[in-house]
């Protein structure tokens, strides 16, 4: 017996018992078909957006058309989630009509308009290059499609290469599960009339639910994740709670991944890989519209990590998930950003396999950093452990240079030393007032900034007394070597160490094979 709504007004009581039904027609995330001989796999081709009519945005619409390989693809419009409303059909097909596409409309919301199985096959499988699914009531659409076998015909069309597209309900229906507002009182055919009859309290008295869908992408989809529902509840907050509840119920050894789609973001799924598109700023003007990976970490906290859109990169869903998790690990790492190539900080983050999850409010754009090809990036596990703090507060060693947020104001000292001539460097300055006071002057006599106890005569083997610099002949002072620099970036804060090389002194780091990295000025971070 086919499922059908008894009323165009009241739907909550009819739909609620079916929230836990299984509507999957594919093994989540696996190919629709794989040839046992060649191993060739067939995946569905999907282009979807966070909002209902988002597919008509020029960039998204052009992508849909290009995926068909035709200038004027043949289109089938399925308006079941909107109960086959005429006005929704007009708005849902406007872009295709504008370029002269042939369009067929499949009306199955009611039994009296549903064609025969044979006719449905001709419409869904044989005719189209594109199938468009409207926004609206996702749970009703899943129930109706399953009861008349339309879900299996759509899968058959996908096997033939028909492009599946849509937004909102037409976005989540292709995933394993989705968040939906299908139980809100106005989620019916006569929604405008129902809204006029509801009190303000009744409009708020509903909850989001999580339902299963067709299962082409193995994730829990959250369309409109950057908005609130009509119950004034943020969709992302409810999505996190749903994900945590589902994860704890299934066990932490079976990860459940959420996939949020902003209203002005698009998702392309082709050849088993995902590409993220964006139209720019979110509707609220805060941040760039994109997609988000949600997951429960080992502390049982739900992370929501934005992905970087418009890169043109296609990656499997598993790769995007791994990248999002690595970005969180990088931000929690002692050294999360190390710039070492002729690239900006944002590119340096991506070079380490990190998504756009960095809080760019803390990091401003920076100019490219000039380095050589040999300057490879350092990662946290390549650096030696920090030595214990020095026993004397005035002793400058590699230990407390790393412990100090700004050791000896190295940047100023380096600038001072670069600003004077060679003759001025070799001139004998007056002795410092205290043997332990390190200044730009007597730093010139010490090849090792990190060893406060060594003066010029100790380091170079010149016979003179401590702080008795008059006895040092000017001609015996060697020219100071050019400093190399090591920049350490820790969550947007820089500590720089300038080390003057001397073969008789221990290196700053115990491992001599670590490459030097160019220092960025602190104002460029």
């Amino acid at each position: 017996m086919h499922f059908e709504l008894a009323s165009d007004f009241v739907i909550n009581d009819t739909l609620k018992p079916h929230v836990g039904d299984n509507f999957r027609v594919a093994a989540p995330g696996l190919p629709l078909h794989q040839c046992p001989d060649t191993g060739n796999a067939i995946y569905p081709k999907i282009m979807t957006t966070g909002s209902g009519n988002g597919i008509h945005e020029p960039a998204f619409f052009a992508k849909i058309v290009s995926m068909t390989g035709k200038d004027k693809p043949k289109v089938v419009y399925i308006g079941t989630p909107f109960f086959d409303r005429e006005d929704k059909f007009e708005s849902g097909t406007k872009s295709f009509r504008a370029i002269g596409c042939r369009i067929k409309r499949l009306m199955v919301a009611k039994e009296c308009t549903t064609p025969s199985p044979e006719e449905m096959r001709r419409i869904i499988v044989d005719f189209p290059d594109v199938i468009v699914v409207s926004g609206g009531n996702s749970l009703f659409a899943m129930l109706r499609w399953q009861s008349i076998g339309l879900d299996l015909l759509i899968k058959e069309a996908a096997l033939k290469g028909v492009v599946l597209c849509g937004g909102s309900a037409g976005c989540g229906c292709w995933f394993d599960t989705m968040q939906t507002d299908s139980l809100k009182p106005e989620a019916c055919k006569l929604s405008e009339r129902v809204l006029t009859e509801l009190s303000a309290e009744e409009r708020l008295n509903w909850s989001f639910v999580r339902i299963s869908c067709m299962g082409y992408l193995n994730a829990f989809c959250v369309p409109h994740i950057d908005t609130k529902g009509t119950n004034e509840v943020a969709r992302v907050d409810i999505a996190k709670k749903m994900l945590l509840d589902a994860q704890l119920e299934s066990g932490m050894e079976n990860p459940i991944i959420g996939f949020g789609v902003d209203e002005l973001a698009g998702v392309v799924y082709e050849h088993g890989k995902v590409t993220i598109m964006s139209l720019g700023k979110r509707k609220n003007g805060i941040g760039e519209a994109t997609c988000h990976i949600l997951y429960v970490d080992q502390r049982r906290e739900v992370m929501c990590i934005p992905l970087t859109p418009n890169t043109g990169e296609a990656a499997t869903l598993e790769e995007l998930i791994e990248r999002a998790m690595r970005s969180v690990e990088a931000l929690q790492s002692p050294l999360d950003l190390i710039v070492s190539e002729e690239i900006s900080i944002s590119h340096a983050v991506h070079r380490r396999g990190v998504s756009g999850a960095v809080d760019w409010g803390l990091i401003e754009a920076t100019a490219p950093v000039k380095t050589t090809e040999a300057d490879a990036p350092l990662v946290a596990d390549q650096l030696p452990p920090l030595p214990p703090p020095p026993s004397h507060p005035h002793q400058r060693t590699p230990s407390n240079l790393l412990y100090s947020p700004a050791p000896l104001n190295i940047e100023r000292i380096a600038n001072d030393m670069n600003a004077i001539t060679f003759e001025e460097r070799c001139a004998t300055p007056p002795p410092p007032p205290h043997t332990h006071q390190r200044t730009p002057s007597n730093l010139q006599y010490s090849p090792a900034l990190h060893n406060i106890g060594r003066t010029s005569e100790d380091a170079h083997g010149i016979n003179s007394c401590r702080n008795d610099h008059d006895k040092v002949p000017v001609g015996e002072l060697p020219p100071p070597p050019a400093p190399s620099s090591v920049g350490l970036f820790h969550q947007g804060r820089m500590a720089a160490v300038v080390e003057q090389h001397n073969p008789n002194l221990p290196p700053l780091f115990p491992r001599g094979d670590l490459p030097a990295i160019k220092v960025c000025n602190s104002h460029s971070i």
Side-chain angles (χ1 to χ4, degrees), residues 89-336:
F89 167 70
E90 293 297 325
S91 62
T93 56
K94 58 183 179 182
S95 297
F96 296 101
R97 284 185 277 112
I99 63 172
C101 295
R102 291 179 59 195
I103 301 172
K104 287 191 177 183
R105 181 183 181 187
L106 183 64
M107 301 176 64
V108 297
K110 290 191 173 182
E111 198 69 29
C112 60
T113 61
T114 301
S116 66
E118 295 77 19
E119 181 63 17
M120 274 200 298
R121 174 179 293 277
R122 284 192 290 270
I123 295 174
I124 293 296
V125 180
D126 300 333
F127 172 76
D129 301 306
V130 179
I131 293 176
V132 179
V133 176
S134 72
N137 194 310
S138 307
L139 180 54
F140 168 70
M142 290 292 102
L143 281 163
R144 185 66 186 158
W145 293 354
Q146 187 181 68
S147 70
I148 62 176
L150 179 57
D151 53 348
L152 298 177
L153 291 177
I154 294 174
K155 179 181 178 181
E156 190 174 339
L159 278 166
K160 289 185 60 179
V162 175
V163 176
L164 312 176
C165 68
S168 190
C171 171
C173 66
W174 314 120
F175 286 76
D176 179 53
T177 58
M178 73 172 291
Q179 180 194 83
T180 178
D181 55 7
S182 296
L183 298 186
K184 64 183 181 182
E186 68 270 27
C188 59
K189 185 171 184 177
L190 303 178
S191 58
E192 291 83 3
R193 180 174 171 182
V194 169
L195 282 173
T196 62
E197 299 175 356
L198 293 174
S199 66
E201 183 179 354
E202 288 173 327
R203 291 185 184 186
L204 300 174
N205 189 23
W206 62 271
S207 300
F208 290 102
V209 291
R210 177 173 173 259
I211 65 171
S212 74
C213 297
M214 301 184 75
Y216 298 144
L217 284 87
N218 188 20
F220 163 49
C221 182
V222 188
H224 315 277
I225 192 172
D226 54 338
T227 67
K228 293 182 179 180
T230 58
N231 58 0
E232 293 300 319
V233 176
R235 295 175 187 265
V236 65
D237 293 340
I238 296 301
K240 289 180 177 181
K241 184 179 185 304
M242 289 178 173
L243 189 63
L244 180 61
D245 291 345
Q247 188 67 81
L248 295 179
E249 182 179 348
S250 66
M252 295 298 292
E253 64 278 2
N254 302 310
I256 300 175
I257 302 300
F259 194 91
V261 186
D262 288 342
E263 290 219 319
L264 297 181
V267 183
V268 178
Y269 185 68
E270 202 169 12
H271 309 300
K273 294 188 175 183
V274 175
T275 303
I276 309 300
M277 300 179 66
S278 174
L279 297 179
K281 291 287 186 182
R282 294 190 181 101
K283 286 187 175 180
N284 61 12
I286 303 175
E288 186 176 20
T290 187
C291 298
H292 311 258
I293 296 294
L294 295 88
Y295 69 94
V296 181
D297 66 11
Q298 294 302 316
R299 297 171 298 178
R300 300 191 176 184
E301 296 179 0
V302 181
M303 311 300 292
C304 183
I305 312 301
L307 301 172
T308 304
N310 296 334
T311 64
E313 177 189 10
T316 65
L317 192 57
E318 290 73 19
E319 290 171 342
L320 292 178
I321 294 166
E322 180 185 2
R323 192 173 302 174
M325 292 181 176
R326 287 171 60 189
S327 72
V328 175
E329 294 172 0
L331 288 175
Q332 295 171 347
S333 163
L335 299 171
D336 70 334

